[in-house]
Amino acid sequence: MEVREQVVGRKDNEDITLYTVKNDQGFQVSCMNYGCIITEMLVPDRDGKLGNVVLGFDTFDEYENNPHYFGAMVGRFAGRIKEGTFTIGETVYQVAQNSNGQHLHGGPKGFHSVVWNSKVIKNEEEAIIEFTYFSPDSEEGFPGNLSMAVRYILKNDSNQLTISYSGKSDKTTLLNVTNHSYFNLSGNFKRTILDHELTMNSDQYLELDKALLPTGTLVSVDEDELFDFRNGRSIRAATTAEHPQTELAGNGYDHPFLLNSGEQPAIELADRESGRKLRVETTEPAVVLYTGNGVGGPYSIKGTEAQDYLGLCLETQGPPDSVRHPHFSSAVLNADEEFKSETTYSFSSM
Ligand code: G6D
């Protein structure tokens, strides 16, 4: 295992350090202590040629305005909360309304945009980049003094990255976290993700309303072929389908899927042309599939013109706005209870 560290900027009077971890097979992950952002993942194709498989920038400055959350840790709450309000016990809380009047992804000063403490733990078998952050009571409106730890774990003998989260609060609060990397297995963004093949062990997805909030309705994929990924499906059809749910998501997917418990790997993504394959295992009950419907725009990503569908997110997490839907898995973290979550991304070739 090889670990390199480089100071790439300053923020809030703190150094921003870029960590690059490489195993003996060449698999390499780069990340930084600003937002625990993953900036690059180098993965071999079927011929062993390394290529970057995540959307990201080359400089820290480009991340200071990161409206698409490229590579970022998301929290205290991943996803939307209606009007930014929720009730715990007798208390009504108001958190940031940063997305058309709703709360999204922890608010402007969410986990993606703060500087984390960081350190390297390394031996011959594995390397860990450990990030920690203390979120004071009422930060972005969320109750409780919250201590968070996030560990990026890379093994020397396999091309996999495990992200392990833990947290504890001194007051009952909400906690629902994820990583917001956009995957594109073609390598160096040669193609969009529209012809990637996605397989998900999910029998139901959450219907969204026009504000992209869950209505509470669980839709069976048995009756909705475009959302049935159980036997593999490409993304392309959703961009032109006359389907109210893909249309309101901006002609693609931006939907939470409930993962069938005990069926791992929960998710597989493959790019036949390069031969790269990603398997995702997770402890989380759901995944938000976001197909980058709106990432295009007049900017470039590592020299490639940004375009819609250039990457897709597999945001393993609890369901959005769960506090309003008792039949959803809960994101309530009781005082002094330990929050734990883990997602593993394993790369192989086919
Ligand atoms: C849009 O609705 C989508 C979110 O799911 C995504 O996380 C964000 O863009 C980056 O708001």
Side-chain angles (χ1 to χ4, degrees):
M1 299 300 295
E2 180 189 320
V3 181
R4 298 194 306 275
E5 301 182 29
Q6 181 192 1
V7 174
V8 293
R10 291 278 294 173
K11 178 83 176 175
D12 302 339
N13 298 319
E14 305 257 8
D15 280 346
I16 303 302
T17 301
L18 179 70
Y19 297 92
T20 299
V21 187
K22 182 175 173 181
N23 74 9
D24 292 351
Q25 305 173 57
F27 173 59
Q28 180 175 300
V29 175
S30 297
C31 57
M32 59 182 174
N33 64 324
Y34 178 66
C36 308
I37 290 175
I38 294 172
T39 62
E40 186 176 69
M41 271 195 205
L42 298 186
V43 173
D45 66 8
R46 67 164 58 87
D47 302 323
K49 186 172 181 312
L50 289 171
N52 177 36
V53 298
V54 290
L55 301 192
F57 298 119
D58 281 324
T59 67
F60 164 62
D61 293 349
E62 293 171 279
Y63 281 104
E64 288 217 77
N65 173 31
N66 186 14
H68 304 296
Y69 301 80
F70 286 157
M73 161 87 193
V74 173
R76 293 199 194 188
F77 194 92
R80 287 174 170 81
I81 299 172
K82 184 171 183 175
E83 296 164 359
T85 62
F86 58 89
T87 301
I88 294 179
E90 303 297 313
T91 309
V92 178
Y93 294 95
Q94 177 69 59
V95 294
Q97 292 173 270
N98 56 314
S99 176
N100 303 320
Q102 321 303 336
H103 176 81
L104 177 65
H105 289 347
K109 288 305 290 172
F111 289 164
H112 65 287
S113 67
V114 296
V115 181
W116 291 64
N117 302 308
S118 54
K119 70 175 181 185
V120 178
I121 304 159
K122 174 176 172 297
N123 58 46
E124 271 319 297
E125 289 73 46
E126 67 179 14
I128 299 171
I129 311 295
E130 182 178 84
F131 300 106
T132 54
Y133 178 68
F134 174 76
S135 174
D137 185 23
S138 301
E139 187 168 62
E140 289 294 41
F142 290 95
N145 291 299
L146 174 73
S147 299
M148 275 305 293
V150 185
R151 301 181 129 204
Y152 290 175
I153 305 163
L154 282 86
K155 302 280 186 202
N156 195 31
D157 60 1
S158 57
N159 294 350
Q160 76 179 37
L161 166 69
T162 293
I163 304 183
S164 172
Y165 307 89
S166 61
K168 191 173 274 190
S169 170
D170 62 2
K171 280 185 194 171
T172 298
T173 188
L174 292 188
L175 189 59
N176 184 28
V177 295
T178 194
N179 177 273
H180 209 290
S181 290
Y182 290 71
F183 294 100
N184 180 328
L185 302 182
S186 65
N188 307 326
F189 324 137
K190 288 190 190 67
R191 298 179 299 283
T192 68
I193 50 87
L194 291 179
D195 296 316
H196 280 29
E197 182 171 306
L198 178 66
T199 304
M200 292 198 290
N201 290 325
S202 168
D203 295 337
Q204 296 175 309
Y205 74 93
L206 302 187
E207 179 190 66
L208 300 179
D209 64 18
K210 287 188 171 44
L212 298 177
L213 288 159
T215 63
T217 299
L218 279 56
V219 181
S220 165
V221 300
D222 287 333
E223 281 100 54
D224 204 335
E225 188 189 357
L226 202 58
F227 284 75
D228 185 355
F229 288 90
R230 293 172 296 186
N231 298 308
R233 166 177 297 282
S234 80
I235 306 299
R236 186 175 294 277
T239 63
T240 54
E242 289 184 7
H243 187 304
Q245 287 293 305
T246 52
E247 287 174 336
L248 71 81
N251 294 317
Y253 300 97
D254 192 1
H255 292 78
F257 287 77
L258 301 187
L259 294 171
N260 301 340
S261 60
E263 294 183 21
Q264 298 291 343
I267 303 160
E268 294 188 331
L269 184 68
D271 172 49
R272 291 199 176 288
E273 192 158 333
S274 67
R276 290 190 181 92
K277 189 169 184 177
L278 165 63
R279 286 194 332 274
V280 181
E281 297 170 279
T282 185
T283 59
E284 288 304 286
V287 59
V288 170
L289 168 64
Y290 175 50
T291 47
N293 317 327
V295 300
Y299 67 100
S300 66
I301 305 170
K302 291 183 187 286
T304 300
E305 186 59 30
Q307 59 176 307
D308 292 348
Y309 313 112
L310 197 55
L312 65 79
C313 303
L314 301 167
E315 300 161 61
T316 50
Q317 61 178 84
D321 208 25
S322 49
V323 72
R324 276 184 179 72
H325 303 285
H327 57 303
F328 289 1
S329 306
S330 171
V332 172
L333 178 66
N334 294 316
D336 301 322
E337 175 190 351
E338 174 138 36
F339 172 89
K340 284 206 148 324
S341 169
E342 188 167 283
T343 294
T344 294
Y345 306 87
S346 304
F347 294 93
S348 58
S349 54
M350 56 184 189

